[in-house]
């Protein structure tokens, strides 16, 4: 017979099953790997956090970068990188500047001409109380005399 009680029992079990699926998913059982998020995607995949610059200086051609020395080693901040970029922009359109924790920095420009101008103009300049050493971006070789 297709009575209403039969229909009620089957829909009730579907609702109960769904309830337990949601409950277990929320508690972290089943679903995605060891963490078990239950919704089929790993956490953080949707979060656009991080530097947002991709590769940093590696993403620019060597002839469009300058090497910067003379900065103190230690933790760096986004704010200091921005200030360095502004400082380096005196020589041209500085696209990117970054200081690493060992006190070595680099900056990228739109053109190789701006790189030459930056080396001439900003080598020996003062940034936040430190005298900068600005040079073309190249692998230091014994033949180069440096």
């Amino acid at each position: 017979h297709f009575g209403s009680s039969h229909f009620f029992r089957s829909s009730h079990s579907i609702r109960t099953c769904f309830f337990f699926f949601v409950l277990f998913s929320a508690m972290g059982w089943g679903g995605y790997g060891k963490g078990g998020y239950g919704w089929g995607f790993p956490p953080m995949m949707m979060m656009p956090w991080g530097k947002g610059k991709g590769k940093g200086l590696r993403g620019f051609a060597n002839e469009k970068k300058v090497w910067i020395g003379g900065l103190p080693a230690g933790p760096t901040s986004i704010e200091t990188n921005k200030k360095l970029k502004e400082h380096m922009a005196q020589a041209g359109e500085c696209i990117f500047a970054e200081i690493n924790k060992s006190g070595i920095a680099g900056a990228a420009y739109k053109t190789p001409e701006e790189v030459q101008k930056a080396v001439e103009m900003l080598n020996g300049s003062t940034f936040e109380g430190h005298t900068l050493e600005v040079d073309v971006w190249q692998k230091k070789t014994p033949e180069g005399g440096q």
Side-chain angles (χ1 to χ4, degrees):
H1 295 324
F2 295 103
S4 61
S5 63
H6 178 73
F7 175 76
F8 176 76
R9 267 192 305 244
S10 62
S11 69
H12 177 73
S13 60
I14 290 169
R15 278 182 295 183
T16 306
C17 181
F18 180 73
F19 170 78
F20 279 108
F21 169 73
V22 171
L23 178 70
F24 290 163
S25 295
M27 293 174 74
W29 293 334
Y32 189 85
K34 284 187 190 142
Y37 285 86
W39 300 108
F41 60 88
M44 305 297 285
M45 277 298 268
M46 315 286 271
M47 306 297 173
W49 291 335
K51 290 188 180 177
K53 293 283 185 193
K55 295 185 177 108
L57 279 169
R58 285 179 296 173
F60 298 99
N62 283 355
E63 65 271 11
K64 293 181 182 177
K65 294 189 285 192
V66 294
W67 175 90
I68 305 163
L71 294 161
T76 62
S77 71
I78 293 169
E79 201 54 46
T80 310
N81 287 341
K82 278 184 191 167
K83 287 179 188 169
L84 179 64
K85 184 181 169 191
E86 286 165 21
H87 180 80
M88 300 309 289
Q90 294 173 77
E93 194 174 342
C94 183
I95 306 166
F96 183 81
E98 188 173 54
I99 309 164
N100 70 20
K101 62 180 183 272
S102 60
I104 302 297
Y109 288 92
K110 276 247 185 206
T111 67
E113 292 74 38
E114 289 171 324
V115 166
Q116 277 310 124
K117 191 176 172 190
V119 171
E120 290 162 17
M121 233 180 111
L122 299 171
N123 187 30
S125 65
T126 304
F127 173 73
E128 297 199 336
H130 303 284
T131 303
L132 297 184
E133 187 186 337
V134 181
D135 202 352
V136 292
W137 188 279
Q138 62 185 21
K139 300 276 182 275
K140 304 288 183 193
T141 57
E143 302 88 71
Q146 289 187 0

